[in-house]
């Protein structure tokens, strides 16, 4: 959506994922190589690379970083190393070919040049991530050239009613999890005349495996800032806050830089764009707790109080920060605002479904071939997301479930993968949209352990203010732990369901109300796994150590030795061309051998059965040694003790040691008596 044609530019992805794999070193190597090649006359930077070498935000395809992209040719190189810098620049200078070894191979094994040809990007539709990977974070010139602040200029000529009306028509719903209509929230805030009013951007992304908001804040911070300024203009707010998770250091750095550049350019601060309207934004570092992502807990944190939620008989749009009208929106929600204002609600509602318009960014992780950030139209099915964009399940395994919505989301079974991804559909099936985390699970995943893992996380993150959440999570965790350790009892499943139902009805905030989802969805769709743990004493997935033992199937074993190499306790023995064997006495049931075996030759059995079989084998293979007769030992005759000496021993004569102890006790008793 760039308004100005892009000059030939080399873009190095420097999102957190690519930085972790050496992107900064790649950018440095490209700069150094360009300088050397220019001295030698091989490359003319002002001609061949007029746009220069820039570091950008996240491209989304994190597992294949560092990513280097040549624009406007749209040639993408993956897993680039500093040693590749010279070859990339030679091609740009016309002195070499495209570096084919760095191109991505599609599902057919063909190398592709552009992102449009890459199956990970091909079916994505980017609105919130429209600038990610294309501009330098915080560089206001780059942002303006991509159409930035045009929406702000437009709203300065619009009435409050017209701005909110456009957002209402778009059908935009909160992308942070609750899915509340954004326009309705803004409209409600305008009905209260109390001043001052505040707007807050919620960037406290605490879900495990989620990094949607992080990507926007790191790669395109000015987009979220522009959205927040428009929200302030629509609600007559005079002060804003960017509440950013404490661990997001790069996001905080890039947002701070972006705020400074926006102030310097007149888009923020006093007399914005010469209108006489004053509005400014401050950064607030998150409280370091998962519960601070909840609106009232977040506001308590900003006020300097403990991040605990409150009852919401009065909404934050009426009494929020310091009991003043406050609008809180998620980062991704605000990133959509400039697009809606600039292109109109009619363009936005072309994507998505009737009740869930637009697009949604998902963090696709887990047992899937292609992981990363994917932005797709609402209504896209889980199957399309996992198989078309994600490439399906690796290692020829089958999919078991997809967990949506973060730790408070539910687990959707493989039989329901054709469900469209939207707010209402997921809610009907025991899950939720949440902030957009999608975790894919294969047939080696134990759903009871999954429920226990998320319940443990939520139990640790619960603020403990309300009894249903605090005690309910504790009881569920204890019960789930017992089941995974082979201590499950009849009635445990019904007990979990009873507690979960009570928590959904009686908990104070959204955390407590949604916390039972992982348990309730797994007892609903994977009840047979719970019963196998409780009734049969076995973990069908082979994950719970106390309910699992591994054996090598002789008919499948190819004696490759990979299982033997992977075993951390050397419990596997075997020779070449002969089936290997697991020593059950040494095995710790970690599952490393099964993960390493390419022939699916590791089977799972009940631990007690395997132990019995192992003992039987030992009995058969053990060679009985002939009994050795020990020589008889003659005992010396006992000496008779005279009666007088024996009587003397029995008398209570005190030894010197006993006398010393008695004296010390007497001194202590006298001291106590004197006191």
């Amino acid at each position: 959506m760039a308004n100005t044609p892009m000059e030939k530019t080399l873009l190095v992805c420097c999102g957190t994922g690519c930085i972790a794999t050496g992107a900064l070193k790649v950018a440095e190597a490209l700069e150094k190589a360009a300088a050397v090649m220019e001295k030698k006359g091989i490359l003319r930077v002002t001609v061949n690379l007029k746009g220069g070498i820039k570091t950008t935000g996240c491209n989304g395809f994190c597992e294949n970083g560092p990513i280097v992209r040549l624009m406007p040719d749209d040639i993408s190189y993956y897993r680039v190393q500093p040693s590749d810098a010279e070859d990339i620049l030679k091609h740009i200078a016309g002195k070499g070919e495209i570096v084919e070894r760095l191109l991505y191979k599609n599902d057919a094994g063909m190398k592709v040049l552009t992102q449009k040809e890459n199956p990970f990007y091909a079916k994505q539709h980017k609105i919130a991530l429209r600038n990610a990977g294309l501009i330098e974070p915080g560089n206001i010139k780059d942002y303006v050239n991509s159409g930035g602040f045009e929406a702000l200029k437009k709203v300065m000529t619009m009435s409050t009613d017209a701005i909110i009306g456009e957002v209402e028509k778009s059908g935009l719903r909160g992308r942070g999890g609750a899915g509340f209509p954004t326009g309705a929230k803004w409209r409600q805030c305008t009905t209260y005349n109390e001043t001052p009013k505040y707007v807050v951007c919620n960037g406290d992304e605490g879900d495990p495996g989620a990094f949607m908001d992080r990507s926007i804040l790191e790669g395109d911070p000015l987009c979220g800032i522009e959205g927040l300024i428009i929200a302030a203009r629509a609600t007559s707010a005079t002060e804003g806050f960017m509440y950013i998770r404490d661990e997001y250091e790069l996001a905080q750095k890039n947002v701070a830089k972006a705020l400074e550049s926006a102030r310097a350019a007149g888009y923020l601060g006093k007399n914005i764009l010469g209108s006489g309207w004053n509005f400014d934004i401050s950064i607030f570092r998150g409280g370091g707790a998962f519960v601070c992502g909840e609106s009232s807990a977040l506001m308590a944190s900003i006020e300097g109080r403990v991040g605990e939620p409150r009852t919401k008989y009065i909404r934050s749009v009426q009494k929020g920060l310091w009991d003043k009208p406050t609008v809180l929106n998620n980062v991704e929600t605000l990133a959509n605002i400039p697009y809606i204002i600039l292109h109109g609600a009619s363009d936005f509602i072309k994507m998505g479904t009737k009740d869930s318009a637009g697009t949604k960014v998902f963090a696709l992780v887990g047992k899937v071939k292609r992981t990363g950030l994917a932005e797709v139209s609402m209504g896209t099915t889980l199957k399309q997301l996992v198989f078309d964009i994600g490439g399906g399940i690796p290692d020829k395994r089958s999919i078991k479930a997809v967990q949506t919505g973060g730790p408070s989301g539910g687990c959707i079974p493989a039989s329901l993968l054709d469900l469209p991804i939207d707010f209402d559909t997921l809610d009907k099936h025991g899950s939720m949209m949440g902030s957009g985390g999608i975790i894919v699970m294969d047939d080696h995943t134990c759903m009871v352990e999954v429920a226990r893992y998320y319940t443990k996380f939520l139990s640790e993150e619960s603020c403990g203010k309300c009894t249903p959440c605090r005690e309910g999570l504790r009881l569920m965790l204890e019960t789930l732990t017992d089941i995974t350790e082979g201590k499950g009892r009849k009635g445990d499943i019904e007990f979990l369901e009873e507690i979960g139902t009570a928590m959904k009805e009686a908990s104070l905030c959204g955390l407590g109300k949604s916390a039972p989802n992982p348990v309730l969805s797994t007892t609903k769709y994977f009840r047979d796994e719970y019963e196998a743990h409780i009734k049969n004493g076995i973990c069908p997935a082979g994950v719970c150590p106390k309910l699992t033992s591994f054996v090598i199937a002789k008919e499948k074993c190819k004696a490759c030795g990979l299982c033997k190499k992977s075993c951390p306790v050397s419990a596997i023995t075997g020779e070449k061309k002969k089936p290997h064997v697991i020593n059950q006495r040494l095995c710790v049931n970690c599952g490393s051998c099964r993960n390493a075996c390419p022939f699916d030759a590791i089977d799972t059995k009940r631990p007690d059965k395997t132990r019995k079989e192992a003992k039987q084998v030992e009995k058969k293979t053990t060679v009985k040694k002939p009994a050795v007769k020990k020589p008889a030992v003659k005992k010396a005759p006992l000496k008779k003790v005279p009666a007088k000496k024996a009587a003397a021993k029995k008398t209570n004569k005190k030894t010197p040691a006993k006398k010393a102890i008695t004296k010390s006790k007497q001194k202590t008793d006298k001291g106590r008596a004197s006191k």
Side-chain angles (χ1 to χ4, degrees):
M1 74 177 262
N3 293 342
T4 306
M6 183 179 278
E7 296 168 334
K8 188 156 282 194
T9 310
L10 206 53
L11 305 171
V12 183
C13 176
C14 285
T16 298
C18 283
I19 286 175
T21 53
L24 294 176
K25 291 181 180 178
V26 170
E28 185 182 358
L30 285 165
E31 292 280 4
K32 287 181 179 178
V36 172
M37 290 171 73
E38 189 164 31
K39 282 183 181 180
K40 292 180 179 179
I42 300 171
L43 177 75
R44 294 176 63 193
V45 174
T46 54
V47 177
N48 304 125
L49 203 58
K50 204 171 181 181
I53 298 166
K54 292 185 177 181
T55 55
T56 72
C58 180
N59 273 257
F61 205 7
C62 308
E63 67 162 313
N64 281 283
I67 297 172
V68 175
R69 192 177 181 190
L70 178 63
M71 295 297 287
D73 302 35
D74 193 17
I75 297 173
S76 291
Y77 295 122
Y78 302 90
R79 302 193 178 186
V80 180
Q81 298 300 313
S83 56
D84 299 317
E86 191 173 338
D87 289 341
I88 292 170
L89 292 170
K90 279 182 180 178
H91 165 250
I92 294 170
K95 307 291 184 181
E97 301 295 324
I98 291 172
V99 190
E100 289 199 13
R101 69 176 181 275
L102 300 176
L103 299 176
Y104 185 75
K105 286 184 180 180
N106 62 17
D107 295 334
M110 302 289 291
K111 291 180 179 179
V112 296
L113 289 175
T114 69
Q115 285 197 358
K116 290 178 181 178
E117 297 171 303
N118 188 325
F120 181 77
Y121 295 107
K123 294 189 178 181
Q124 292 193 42
H125 194 118
K126 296 189 177 184
I127 293 179
L129 299 177
R130 58 191 176 275
N131 294 325
L134 290 172
I135 66 173
E136 195 171 24
N139 186 325
I140 201 158
K141 184 181 176 182
D142 276 10
Y143 184 66
V144 169
N145 287 342
S146 68
F149 290 115
E150 291 299 318
L152 178 59
K153 291 175 184 177
K154 186 177 178 179
V155 300
M156 299 305 284
T157 63
M158 296 169 67
S159 66
T160 295
D161 188 64
I163 298 168
I164 297 174
E166 198 67 30
V167 176
E168 286 175 327
K169 288 176 191 174
S170 73
L172 177 66
R173 295 172 66 173
R175 296 319 198 227
F180 192 82
T182 305
K185 185 184 285 188
W186 291 11
R187 177 78 66 187
Q188 194 177 355
C189 185
T190 61
T191 62
Y192 303 107
N193 297 321
E194 198 170 356
T195 57
K197 292 181 179 179
Y198 302 100
V199 287
V200 181
C201 171
N202 185 353
D204 191 64
E205 190 175 45
D207 294 3
F211 48 100
M212 297 76 62
D213 294 345
R214 179 181 200 159
S215 177
I216 296 170
L217 292 172
E218 288 180 356
D220 190 14
L222 284 163
C223 179
I225 290 167
E226 185 179 6
L228 193 62
I229 298 170
I230 293 170
R233 183 70 176 175
T235 56
S236 303
T238 55
E239 189 175 0
F241 294 91
M242 301 284 286
Y243 190 96
I244 304 173
R245 185 177 174 182
D246 190 52
E247 294 87 347
Y248 287 0
E249 290 187 14
L250 182 60
Q252 290 165 18
K253 176 186 171 184
N254 289 352
V255 169
K257 181 182 176 183
L259 288 172
E260 286 178 14
S261 63
R263 289 190 195 100
Y267 296 112
L268 188 66
K270 293 182 179 180
N271 192 25
I272 294 174
L273 294 175
S275 65
W277 176 53
N278 302 330
F279 173 75
D280 212 340
I281 299 171
S282 305
I283 295 174
F284 192 94
R285 297 181 69 160
F290 178 71
V291 75
C292 283
E294 194 274 339
S295 59
S296 58
L298 181 150
M299 292 179 196
S301 177
I302 292 176
E303 292 173 0
R305 297 185 288 113
V306 175
E308 288 181 344
R310 61 167 173 79
T311 51
K312 293 183 181 176
Y313 48 86
I314 298 176
R315 294 286 174 180
S316 58
V317 289
Q318 181 182 355
K319 287 185 180 290
L321 276 173
W322 297 287
D323 288 334
K324 301 296 181 182
T326 305
V327 167
L328 182 139
N329 290 124
N330 159 267
V331 174
E332 188 185 339
T333 308
L334 293 170
N336 281 284
I337 297 297
Y339 183 94
I340 291 168
I341 297 297
L342 200 58
H343 296 272
S346 57
D347 185 83
F348 189 77
I349 60 176
K350 288 178 183 177
M351 294 161 284
T353 63
K354 182 184 176 182
D355 297 318
S356 299
T359 62
K360 180 73 187 80
V361 182
F362 293 100
L364 184 62
V365 297
K367 298 300 177 71
V368 65
K369 289 179 181 177
R370 294 188 285 265
T371 60
L373 283 181
E375 185 173 2
V376 296
S377 294
M378 288 280 201
T380 300
T381 66
L382 287 166
K383 191 173 185 178
Q384 288 172 326
L385 185 61
V386 173
F387 287 91
D388 294 349
I389 294 173
I393 315 304
D395 303 324
K396 298 180 181 180
R397 305 227 62 84
S398 58
I399 185 169
K400 179 184 277 189
V402 174
Q403 203 252 3
T404 68
S408 300
C411 298
I412 304 295
S415 59
L416 295 177
L417 286 181
D418 287 320
L419 286 177
I421 306 171
D422 61 60
F423 290 102
D424 303 318
T425 302
L426 291 175
D427 188 57
K428 285 177 185 176
H429 289 83
S431 191
M432 60 191 287
M433 179 76 72
S435 58
I438 299 282
I439 300 175
V440 183
M441 304 172 190
D442 67 9
D443 56 350
H444 278 176
T445 304
C446 173
M447 303 312 295
V448 185
E449 171 57 24
V450 166
R452 190 205 64 81
Y453 172 82
Y454 284 118
T455 303
K456 184 176 185 292
F457 173 83
L458 293 166
S459 179
E460 290 171 350
E461 293 296 335
S462 171
C463 71
K465 186 175 182 179
C466 75
T467 304
C469 177
R470 181 185 67 244
E471 296 303 315
L473 283 169
R474 182 183 63 80
L475 287 170
M476 283 203 296
L477 179 59
E478 286 177 1
T479 306
L480 289 165
T481 302
D482 282 347
I483 294 172
T484 56
E485 291 181 353
K487 302 172 189 174
R489 296 175 295 178
K490 185 181 178 182
D492 278 353
I493 302 173
E494 291 75 16
F495 180 63
L496 289 169
E497 291 172 333
E498 186 181 354
I499 295 174
T501 304
M503 285 177 64
K504 288 181 84 72
E505 292 176 0
S507 292
L508 180 64
C509 75
L511 173 71
K513 291 180 184 298
S514 60
N517 283 340
V519 177
L520 295 179
S521 62
T522 51
T523 57
K524 179 181 179 180
Y525 296 119
F526 303 96
R527 201 178 193 88
D528 56 331
E529 287 200 32
Y530 280 85
E531 290 173 348
H533 281 67
I534 297 168
K535 294 179 182 178
N536 303 330
I538 186 171
C539 175
V543 173
C544 303
K546 293 187 179 179
L547 295 175
T548 302
S549 61
F550 296 101
V551 292
I552 299 174
K554 292 180 180 180
E555 65 278 6
K556 294 181 183 177
C557 182
K558 305 297 181 184
C560 65
L562 291 176
C563 61
K564 188 177 178 181
K565 290 177 182 177
S566 69
C567 183
V569 292
S570 302
I572 300 175
T573 56
E575 300 174 8
K576 289 182 179 180
K577 299 182 180 181
K578 287 185 179 181
H580 287 31
V581 178
I582 299 175
N583 186 330
Q584 297 300 326
R585 293 187 181 277
L586 297 177
C587 181
V588 292
N589 301 325
C590 65
S592 297
C593 55
R594 185 174 64 168
N595 295 333
C597 181
F599 307 107
D600 202 22
I602 312 292
D603 293 335
T604 57
K605 284 190 176 184
R606 273 178 58 175
D608 54 349
K609 284 188 176 181
T610 313
R611 290 190 193 105
K612 283 180 182 178
E613 289 172 6
K615 285 179 181 178
Q616 288 172 0
V617 171
E618 278 185 23
K619 284 180 181 178
K620 289 179 181 178
T621 55
T622 304
V623 179
K624 289 186 178 181
K625 294 181 180 180
V628 179
K629 289 184 178 181
K630 293 182 179 179
V633 179
K634 290 183 180 180
K635 292 182 180 179
L638 294 172
K639 291 182 180 180
K640 288 185 179 181
V641 181
K644 288 182 179 180
K645 287 185 179 181
K649 284 183 180 180
K650 288 181 181 179
T651 56
N652 190 20
K653 287 186 178 181
K654 290 182 180 178
T655 62
K658 284 184 179 180
K659 287 178 182 178
I661 293 168
T662 306
K663 283 181 181 179
S664 65
K665 282 183 179 179
Q666 287 172 354
K667 285 180 183 179
T668 307
D669 292 340
K670 284 180 182 179
R672 285 175 183 168
S674 64
K675 287 180 183 179

